[in-house]
Amino acid sequence: MFAPHISGATESYDPAWYKELASLEEGNFWFVARNRLIRWLFQKNVSPEGKYLEVGCGTGFVLKMISKSFSGLEILATEAQPESFEFVRERVPNCSAFYQMDACQIPFREEFDVIGAFDVIEHIEDDVGAIEQIRLALKPGGFFILSVPQHMFLWSEFDEVGCHFRRYSADELKRKLSVAGFELRISTSFNSLLLPLMLLSRSISKKNQSGEVDVLAELRLSKFVNRLLSAILWVEFQMIRFGIRFPAGGSRMVVAQKTEDKDKH
């Protein structure tokens, strides 16, 4: 427990959502598509051996995939909310360590070969500070792989209830990574073919009977709809895999490498 003072706070994410989120992630078209893209990016950029730290691991859905796909990686998990670790332990029994910590105060220096943060930094007010801490925790030449929600024109009540500070543009994310001492290797939108549907969905309020926004409502889909959306994102992945980079999409995925330039100044 490196930052017990933030444990239990809900400004970044409400731990009460973890149980249902864990059940909804399994098989959901968006989480499966994101994992498929993450796996491909790891295969292209990351050594099959080394130390991997995930910042903001949630319930461990990404960690589970990485542990099964890259058995040579030592896996370590961090979260601000320690309640998540019971789900991670079940999903990733070979996880080496669990750290409750503040992403803006990472207590490691040049320790990891790769760090992942998937839909995390939009929850952090000082996102540049967190990115700089991630850079310091990486070994020279290490990789930072991240995903973020994209386009402020998609901002909705879901972002507010989901404790987001922002949605990113490609240029903003590139600039912040560059300022922190990273060089982009791969950057692409994803969930691009579904952007018109996402625009429509975000324009429709999904308040429950109590008048509160249900932040997990978009994940509760019929099997038919889930399969249809899964098929569309499979086609999108094949396009990305063969070199197409979408300028717009609900999310952006980036591979960035730690540079030496900042250390020389």
Side-chain angles (χ1 to χ4, degrees), residues 71-96:
S71 58
L73 287 177
E74 180 185 358
I75 293 174
L76 304 97
T78 81
E79 249 299 342
Q81 310 298 342
E83 292 90 343
S84 70
F85 294 147
E86 65 177 281
F87 300 98
V88 182
R89 287 190 184 97
E90 183 176 343
R91 281 176 159 171
V92 194
N94 63 329
C95 190
S96 295

Side-chain angles (χ1 to χ4, degrees), residues 19-32 35 59-62 64-65 68 87 90-92 219 221 226 230:
K19 186 175 182 179
E20 185 177 7
L21 176 63
S23 65
L24 290 171
E25 285 170 328
E26 296 290 344
N28 177 270
F29 79 97
W30 187 83
F31 288 100
V32 171
N35 265 9
T59 61
F61 188 71
V62 176
K64 178 181 177 182
M65 177 276 293
K68 290 185 174 181
F87 300 98
E90 183 176 343
R91 281 176 159 171
V92 194
L219 303 181
L221 302 171
N226 191 61
S230 294

Side-chain angles (χ1 to χ4, degrees), residues 103-241:
C104 292
Q105 296 179 335
I106 298 178
F108 301 102
R109 294 295 179 265
E110 297 191 355
E111 183 78 17
F112 305 102
D113 299 279
V114 58
I115 292 177
F118 304 107
D119 293 273
V120 170
I121 65 170
E122 68 274 11
H123 294 275
I124 302 172
E125 186 170 9
D126 182 13
D127 56 343
V128 172
I131 294 169
E132 289 175 340
Q133 286 289 297
I134 287 168
R135 182 185 178 278
L136 290 171
L138 281 167
K139 295 178 181 178
F143 287 96
F144 179 28
I145 303 179
L146 69 154
S147 62
V148 295
Q150 190 171 224
H151 306 312
M152 281 302 295
F153 65 75
L154 286 173
W155 185 268
S156 74
E157 56 194 7
F158 288 99
D159 295 284
E160 294 171 3
V161 177
C163 307
H164 291 177
F165 282 98
R166 66 198 71 80
R167 300 182 71 92
Y168 290 85
S169 68
D171 288 342
E172 177 190 5
L173 186 57
K174 180 179 180 179
R175 175 177 54 80
K176 288 182 174 181
L177 287 165
S178 178
V179 167
F182 284 100
E183 184 175 346
L184 266 63
R185 298 303 182 194
I186 298 176
S187 179
T188 184
S189 298
F190 72 102
N191 201 11
S192 299
L193 299 183
L194 296 177
L195 185 58
L197 185 62
M198 188 174 180
L199 275 167
L200 176 62
S201 175
R202 288 301 172 101
S203 69
I204 301 172
S205 179
K206 293 182 174 62
K207 294 184 179 180
N208 57 28
Q209 293 180 345
S210 301
E212 298 174 342
V213 177
D214 185 353
V215 74
L216 301 179
E218 288 186 318
L219 303 181
R220 302 187 193 99
L221 302 171
S222 69
K223 290 183 179 180
F224 172 77
V225 171
N226 191 61
R227 287 172 182 167
L228 176 61
L229 300 181
S230 294
I232 293 171
L233 290 188
W234 182 85
V235 171
E236 178 179 291
F237 169 70
Q238 299 305 321
M239 296 170 73
I240 292 173
R241 191 164 69 91

